[in-house]
Amino acid sequence: MYKFSISSIPLKLYLPLFFLLCLSGNPLFTSGWYSKALLITYTFIFAGYIIYLTHWELENKLLEGLTYIVLFIFTLVIVQKISLGYVSYPGVLSTILKIFLGALTFLYYQQNKIDFFDLYIRLLSLLAKISIPLWLINQIFFLGIQLPNSHQKSAIFYTFLKISPLKDIGRNPGMFWEPGAFAGYLILAILFIILENRQFIIGSYKKETFWISAALITTMSTTGYLILGLIIFIYALQNYKWGKIIIIPLFIIIGWWSFNELHFLKNKIESQIISAEKMTENDVSNSRFGALKMDLQYIKSQPLTGNGLSIKTRFRFHPWIKEDIGHGNGMSNFLAYWGIPFFLFWLYSLYIFAFRMSEVKSIAIFFVILMLLVLQGEQFLNYPMFLAFFILPYFNLKIDRWKHKNFFLRQIN
């Protein structure tokens, strides 16, 4: 039997997903002066290609979903303009384009009868394989195209970080802006494996799970380690009779040891909590807990419609902030930007997507909870990969995905 693998996929078929990921946090694509122009140009060119591919025959449900989302955003923008006096229209357009790009990419694979989620798992496994040797090289060398951040260089498939070999072990950022971001996209691949299998099992993704987990370990991400631990815990409880007897005590012991011995867990978490507790309303912080505390006053101020995307309104209680502060909490930042209802809309869309994929309510709930944990680390909701969950429920997710793979294999044989 022919084995489905990333190496067998023609380049043109996985390029759209790769570009979607590049525009979801590869600093070579997202941190330059050309980033917005690149997003607009690529999205419109890709949209033209999709129109040619589908002959304008888009599903009514998809168009209906895009209409609802755009109307929701426009309503928020109008209220923000009235209440705050200013709106960043380029920022709003960028958000809509990112959602649109996610929809176009998924539509491309649906039209080609390829399972988007299977391809994502296999592509992240490939990126994980590429990242590990480059991560080892990065312990000594600082290579690639210089990025606006002086501590970053890009080799396209990997972001080299400027580190001090004698001081610490450098962490693995993959091709993204930092290790925590790479960890989030790797965790998403593991969650897609769960949805594909409709239960907490690895199934046919043994090799992919190995490489994804290995790369996740090299990120040394606090959030990544926590979520991976929870997934392993649930997996053991559900798949082994002795899970409750052995795994629970073992999980507690390993968790306690890891928290106390790994400096990037205990020291980092404790220092951030202490710093957040000492913060006043005038203090600024980009740490996970500090950002959450700082954002609460903005969320309380505009709970329904948010504070907008402009720094002028978003940080109006801290007017001395004139540029991005490297915000450390993706959930609270999105709530501060867009308000509680829009975030609940995203959560609802996330749940519907996970339920339709897995057809199991408990799996869908676990998926949402783990995704909420993922958001505690990075600004994933600023990027098209995560914003795409707004629109995915409007696609037909009850397709026979394995049948689609078989169709694809017939095309390349």
Side-chain angles (χ1 to χ4, degrees), residues 28 141-147 152-156 158-160:
L28 183 64
F141 300 104
F142 183 48
L143 309 170
I145 303 167
Q146 183 61 61
L147 297 170
Q152 293 178 331
K153 286 187 178 181
S154 176
I156 302 176
Y158 187 84
T159 303
F160 279 83

Side-chain angles (χ1 to χ4, degrees), residues 105-129:
T105 306
F106 191 84
L107 183 60
Y108 169 84
Y109 288 110
Q110 195 170 72
Q111 289 292 313
N112 282 282
K113 296 182 171 59
I114 298 172
D115 180 3
F116 173 92
F117 309 103
D118 175 82
L119 194 66
Y120 180 94
I121 294 163
R122 298 177 189 279
L123 182 55
L124 263 291
S125 173
L126 177 63
L127 292 174
K129 285 182 188 178

Side-chain angles (χ1 to χ4, degrees), residues 1-260:
M1 178 181 273
Y2 191 94
K3 181 173 175 58
F4 185 82
S5 67
I6 192 76
S7 60
S8 66
I9 301 175
L11 180 66
K12 67 176 184 178
L13 289 178
Y14 65 88
L15 272 178
L17 176 55
F18 177 70
F19 284 135
L20 178 70
L21 288 173
C22 284
L23 291 166
S24 294
N26 184 327
L28 183 64
F29 292 76
T30 60
S31 67
W33 55 268
Y34 50 81
S35 298
K36 283 189 173 113
L38 180 62
L39 171 67
I40 294 169
T41 304
Y42 175 73
T43 302
F44 276 96
I45 291 174
F46 194 46
Y49 176 69
I50 293 296
I51 290 170
Y52 167 77
L53 189 68
T54 61
H55 305 289
W56 291 91
E57 294 178 3
L58 299 179
E59 293 182 17
N60 290 333
K61 194 173 181 182
L62 174 59
L63 293 173
E64 181 183 328
L66 285 169
T67 301
Y68 286 149
I69 294 165
V70 171
L71 285 176
F72 201 142
I73 291 173
F74 280 172
T75 301
L76 292 175
V77 168
I78 291 169
V79 178
Q80 286 174 0
K81 176 67 175 177
I82 294 171
S83 61
L84 300 173
Y86 184 82
V87 168
S88 172
Y89 294 110
V92 173
L93 174 62
S94 176
T95 299
I96 294 172
L97 282 178
K98 289 170 185 176
I99 296 171
F100 191 49
L101 178 58
L104 290 172
T105 306
F106 191 84
L107 183 60
Y108 169 84
Y109 288 110
Q110 195 170 72
Q111 289 292 313
N112 282 282
K113 296 182 171 59
I114 298 172
D115 180 3
F116 173 92
F117 309 103
D118 175 82
L119 194 66
Y120 180 94
I121 294 163
R122 298 177 189 279
L123 182 55
L124 263 291
S125 173
L126 177 63
L127 292 174
K129 285 182 188 178
I130 294 171
S131 76
I132 292 174
L134 291 174
W135 167 68
L136 293 172
I137 293 171
N138 194 188
Q139 306 305 313
I140 304 171
F141 300 104
F142 183 48
L143 309 170
I145 303 167
Q146 183 61 61
L147 297 170
N149 185 331
S150 61
H151 288 77
Q152 293 178 331
K153 286 187 178 181
S154 176
I156 302 176
F157 297 101
Y158 187 84
T159 303
F160 279 83
L161 302 179
K162 193 171 187 179
I163 62 173
S164 174
L166 298 177
K167 183 179 178 183
D168 205 353
I169 297 176
R171 299 163 59 200
N172 183 358
M175 71 171 188
F176 299 97
W177 70 93
E178 73 162 39
F182 190 29
Y185 287 109
L186 291 168
I187 287 291
L188 184 59
I190 295 174
L191 294 179
F192 282 161
I193 290 174
I194 294 167
L195 293 183
E196 287 277 11
N197 292 316
R198 299 181 179 179
Q199 54 186 312
F200 276 82
I201 61 172
I202 295 171
S204 62
Y205 293 106
K206 292 181 178 63
K207 289 183 179 179
E208 290 79 11
T209 301
F210 171 79
W211 286 110
I212 289 167
S213 299
L216 184 57
I217 291 170
T218 64
T219 65
M220 302 177 200
S221 164
T222 305
T223 305
Y225 276 38
L226 172 63
I227 299 172
L228 180 62
L230 287 173
I231 291 172
I232 293 171
F233 180 68
I234 298 168
Y235 172 83
L237 288 180
Q238 289 195 353
N239 293 284
Y240 297 101
K241 292 180 180 179
W242 43 265
K244 293 179 182 178
I245 300 172
I246 297 176
I247 292 297
I248 291 178
L250 188 62
F251 183 81
I252 293 172
I253 292 170
I254 293 175
W256 180 85
W257 180 88
S258 299
F259 180 77
N260 284 281

Side-chain angles (χ1 to χ4, degrees), residues 284-287 291 294-295 311 314-315 320-328 333:
V284 174
S285 173
N286 62 2
S287 71
M294 178 181 167
D295 288 341
I311 289 178
R314 168 63 181 87
F315 295 109
W320 51 89
I321 297 178
K322 302 298 182 183
E323 58 185 12
D324 181 31
I325 61 173
H327 208 282
N333 191 41

